[in-house]
Amino acid sequence: MEMEEDEERRRQRKLEEALEVKSLRRIISAYLNYPEAAEEDVRRYEKSFKKLPPAHKAFEPPLDMSQDVDGCKDPHLENFEHGHCHSEERNASSCQSASTSGRMCCSNNAEACPQEKSNIMSNPTTEEVKSEQQHEPIFGSGAGEVENNNEIAECCSNDVADSNGNAFSSPHDWLDPSLQLNVPLVDVDKVRCIIRNIVRDWAAEGEKERNQCYKPILEELDAQFPNRSKESPPACLVPGAGLGRLALEISCLGFISQGNEFSYYMMICSSFILNHTETTGQWTIYPWIHSNCNSLSDNDQHRPVSIPDIHPASAGITEGFSMCGGDFVEVYNDSSQIGVWDAVVTCFFIDTAHNIIEYIEIISRILKEGGVWINFGPLLYHFADMYGQEDDMSIELSLEDVKKIAFHYGFELEKEQTIETTYTTNPRSMMQNHYHAAFWTMRKKRTTTT
C-alpha cells in the first residue's frame, strides 16, 4: 500500500513538472512573440492608413509606413533571442526558471517551481542576486530560513524534461526558435504590462509613483526599527514583490528582506534586472509605444526610457536579500513560518487574494509577537469579475471589514491614513487613474503571561 502511494506521488510530481514546463514555455514564448506582435500592430496601423481617402492622407503619419519593419533589428532583442538573457525561476523571483548556470532552479527535494496562474503549486526556491562586494552570486535564504543567511540555495543537478521526455538543459534550449509557441495576444499584453511595471520600479520616470507608494513604507519601517543591528538585522517579508524594487530598498535600509512573487512574467524580468545589470541606464525601452489613446503628442508616445535608474548590485543590499517564488498562501502557510518575521510589508497586494481573510490570518501567524504589518494599497479585488468558474472564489470586503478581520487575528492599529497615488500610469497621458490607497501600520499583540 505504501509503495503504491509513493508511486502515485512520483507520478503526480512528474505530471506537475510537465505542466510547469508547459506553462513556462508559454510565458517565454510570450516574451519572444513581443516583437512580432508589435510588427502586427504596425501592419494594422498601415492597413488603416491605406484605407483613408487621398484627401485625408495629406498629413504626415507618425511612423514611416514605407519602412520594412522586418529589416529593423534591435541588437538588445537579438541578445535576448540568442540566450544572453538567462532567466531563473515567485518572482522576480526565485524559483526562477532557468538559472544563470543554465539549469532549472528548483527546490532541494526536486519538486517543481510554481506555475503561472496554476492550481499546481510546490515548494519555492530563491533567486540569486549579484553583489558588487562579492564576485560570486549571492543566494538569499529560502522561505523559513531567514536566520541562516549564509546558506547557499542549490539548483537541482537533474535537467527538467517536458511531457515528451525532452530535456531542457540550458537557456539556449528554452529560447530555441523551434520551441517558440504561438501564444494568444493576451499573453503578449502581459509582457507589455511588465514593461510599464519596469518604468514604475526601475526608471527615473517612475520615481514619482515610488515616492507616493514606497517612500511612506520605507520611512515607517525606518521609524519602527530605529536601532537595527548589522549583526542581527530584522527580517522583513514583502509578498507580491513584483519586479523587486521595494524589497531591494528595504534590504538597503538594513533589513533581511525577502520578496515573494507568483507571476512568472514578473520573475523572469526581475531576475534579469537584479542579476544581469552592469550599469545604470544600460537599456532603453519604449513603454508607451503601444498606447495610442490619450497621447498629447507623437513624441510623448515614442519617448525612450532608460533603465535601470540604479545599479542593484551596488545599491548597498543587506546580506540575506532574496526573492522567493510561489503562491503566498502555499509558501507561507507552513509551520516553519510561524513567528519568523519581524515585519511584513504589503503594497498593492492584499486585494490579489481569493480569500483576503486567509491572507490576514497568515500574516498574523508568520509575524513575531510585537511584529509590524505595514500595508499600502486599494481594494481592487482581482477575482471579483471571475464569472462562471464554480471552483473559484472571491471574498470582497470593505476597508472597514478588513480592519475588523485584522483585529480579530490579533492586530492593533497604530497609524492610518489615505494616500493618493497612481499605478503604472503614463505621467504624460490625458487619462490618469488615481487610487486613494489605504496606508496603515498594525502591530501583532504580544501574548500576556500570568
Side-chain angles (χ1 to χ4, degrees), residues 190-423:
K190 292 178 183 178
V191 176
R192 294 176 178 180
C193 179
I194 294 297
I195 293 173
R196 295 193 295 272
N197 273 271
I198 294 174
V199 179
R200 172 181 169 86
D201 263 22
W202 296 105
E205 190 167 303
E207 184 176 9
K208 181 180 178 181
E209 272 194 5
R210 293 196 299 273
N211 285 342
Q212 291 169 347
C213 302
Y214 298 169
K215 188 176 180 181
I217 292 171
L218 296 169
E219 290 176 346
E220 181 64 14
L221 265 180
D222 188 41
Q224 288 288 340
F225 298 87
N227 302 311
R228 296 184 291 280
S229 166
K230 290 184 178 180
E231 290 72 29
S232 181
C236 179
L237 176 66
V238 187
L243 296 185
R245 181 62 177 264
L246 178 58
L248 181 136
E249 296 285 358
I250 291 172
S251 174
C252 294
L253 272 183
F255 289 79
I256 299 173
S257 174
Q258 182 172 96
N260 165 240
E261 179 54 46
F262 178 50
S263 167
Y264 263 134
Y265 289 93
M266 291 283 189
M267 288 192 285
I268 290 171
C269 183
S270 66
S271 174
F272 180 74
I273 293 174
L274 289 169
N275 292 316
H276 300 276
T277 298
E278 296 177 357
T279 183
T280 59
Q282 186 171 352
W283 300 285
T284 300
I285 60 175
Y286 296 82
W288 318 115
I289 194 71
H290 307 290
S291 304
N292 292 336
C293 300
N294 293 305
S295 294
L296 290 172
S297 70
D298 296 337
N299 287 338
D300 280 349
Q301 183 182 3
H302 302 159
R303 71 186 185 275
V305 173
S306 296
I307 60 162
D309 63 320
I310 63 170
H311 181 217
S314 57
I317 60 176
T318 300
E319 184 178 0
F321 173 56
S322 61
M323 298 294 286
C324 177
D327 175 77
F328 172 70
V329 172
E330 295 290 332
V331 174
Y332 296 95
N333 193 18
D334 186 89
S335 59
S336 66
Q337 289 291 302
I338 296 174
V340 168
W341 302 93
D342 297 286
V344 173
V345 166
T346 52
C347 183
F348 278 81
F349 173 71
I350 60 174
D351 55 359
T352 67
H354 285 281
N355 178 2
I356 191 172
I357 302 171
E358 186 175 36
Y359 270 21
I360 296 170
E361 180 184 21
I362 293 172
I363 291 170
S364 175
R365 183 184 300 136
I366 67 179
L367 276 171
K368 297 176 180 178
E369 291 188 6
V372 173
W373 174 23
I374 300 174
N375 176 72
F376 186 105
L379 293 175
L380 183 64
Y381 293 103
H382 286 209
F383 299 98
D385 298 326
M386 299 290 285
Y387 301 112
Q389 299 187 23
E390 295 182 3
D391 56 345
D392 253 341
M393 66 182 297
S394 179
I395 305 300
E396 300 139 23
L397 304 179
S398 67
L399 178 59
E400 179 183 27
D401 288 337
V402 168
K403 288 186 288 185
K404 287 180 180 177
I405 296 297
F407 300 154
H408 172 78
Y409 283 103
F411 284 105
E412 295 178 313
L413 182 65
E414 292 193 347
K415 295 180 182 178
E416 181 184 22
Q417 67 180 106
T418 299
I419 297 178
E420 186 174 347
T421 186
T422 57
Y423 190 89

Side-chain angles (χ1 to χ4, degrees), residues 29-312:
S29 292
Y31 274 94
L32 296 178
N33 274 280
Y34 172 82
E36 294 177 10
E39 290 172 5
E40 183 60 35
D41 280 348
V42 173
R43 285 190 286 270
R44 179 169 60 86
Y45 306 153
E46 186 177 30
K47 184 178 180 181
S48 295
F49 179 75
K50 288 178 178 178
K51 288 182 178 180
L52 287 172
H56 292 173
K57 292 181 180 179
F59 66 92
E60 286 292 326
L63 298 175
D64 181 2
M65 295 302 183
S66 65
Q67 187 168 293
D68 179 8
V69 293
D70 292 328
C72 300
K73 275 280 189 176
D74 185 337
H76 296 303
L77 180 60
E78 288 183 343
N79 285 342
F80 184 90
E81 291 176 340
H82 290 108
H84 296 288
C85 168
H86 304 319
S87 48
E88 330 167 315
E89 201 316 285
R90 216 182 143 276
N91 200 224
S93 328
S94 86
C95 281
Q96 305 242 7
S97 31
S99 72
T100 51
S101 64
R103 294 174 294 168
M104 286 293 294
C105 188
C106 54
S107 57
N108 292 335
N109 61 1
E111 292 189 8
C113 294
Q115 150 176 335
E116 170 71 12
K117 297 212 172 181
S118 165
N119 293 326
I120 298 173
M121 307 307 293
S122 55
N123 293 343
T125 58
T126 51
E127 171 186 30
E128 59 178 282
V129 178
K130 295 177 182 176
S131 168
E132 190 178 56
Q133 287 73 33
Q134 294 180 249
H135 298 293
E136 293 299 318
I138 297 174
F139 287 81
S141 56
E145 299 172 346
V146 295
E147 296 177 1
N148 186 3
N149 304 321
N150 297 322
E151 190 172 51
I152 301 299
E154 296 180 352
C155 289
C156 298
S157 58
N158 296 327
D159 294 329
V160 173
D162 65 14
S163 56
N164 296 320
N166 300 314
F168 296 93
S169 58
S170 74
H172 295 274
D173 290 331
W174 286 94
L175 300 178
D176 189 324
S178 67
L179 297 175
Q180 184 173 336
L181 306 175
N182 291 320
V183 296
L185 186 58
V186 65
D187 287 10
V188 180
D189 282 342
K190 292 178 183 178
V191 176
R192 294 176 178 180
C193 179
I194 294 297
I195 293 173
R196 295 193 295 272
N197 273 271
I198 294 174
V199 179
R200 172 181 169 86
D201 263 22
W202 296 105
E205 190 167 303
E207 184 176 9
K208 181 180 178 181
E209 272 194 5
R210 293 196 299 273
N211 285 342
Q212 291 169 347
C213 302
Y214 298 169
K215 188 176 180 181
I217 292 171
L218 296 169
E219 290 176 346
E220 181 64 14
L221 265 180
D222 188 41
Q224 288 288 340
F225 298 87
N227 302 311
R228 296 184 291 280
S229 166
K230 290 184 178 180
E231 290 72 29
S232 181
C236 179
L237 176 66
V238 187
L243 296 185
R245 181 62 177 264
L246 178 58
L248 181 136
E249 296 285 358
I250 291 172
S251 174
C252 294
L253 272 183
F255 289 79
I256 299 173
S257 174
Q258 182 172 96
N260 165 240
E261 179 54 46
F262 178 50
S263 167
Y264 263 134
Y265 289 93
M266 291 283 189
M267 288 192 285
I268 290 171
C269 183
S270 66
S271 174
F272 180 74
I273 293 174
L274 289 169
N275 292 316
H276 300 276
T277 298
E278 296 177 357
T279 183
T280 59
Q282 186 171 352
W283 300 285
T284 300
I285 60 175
Y286 296 82
W288 318 115
I289 194 71
H290 307 290
S291 304
N292 292 336
C293 300
N294 293 305
S295 294
L296 290 172
S297 70
D298 296 337
N299 287 338
D300 280 349
Q301 183 182 3
H302 302 159
R303 71 186 185 275
V305 173
S306 296
I307 60 162
D309 63 320
I310 63 170
H311 181 217

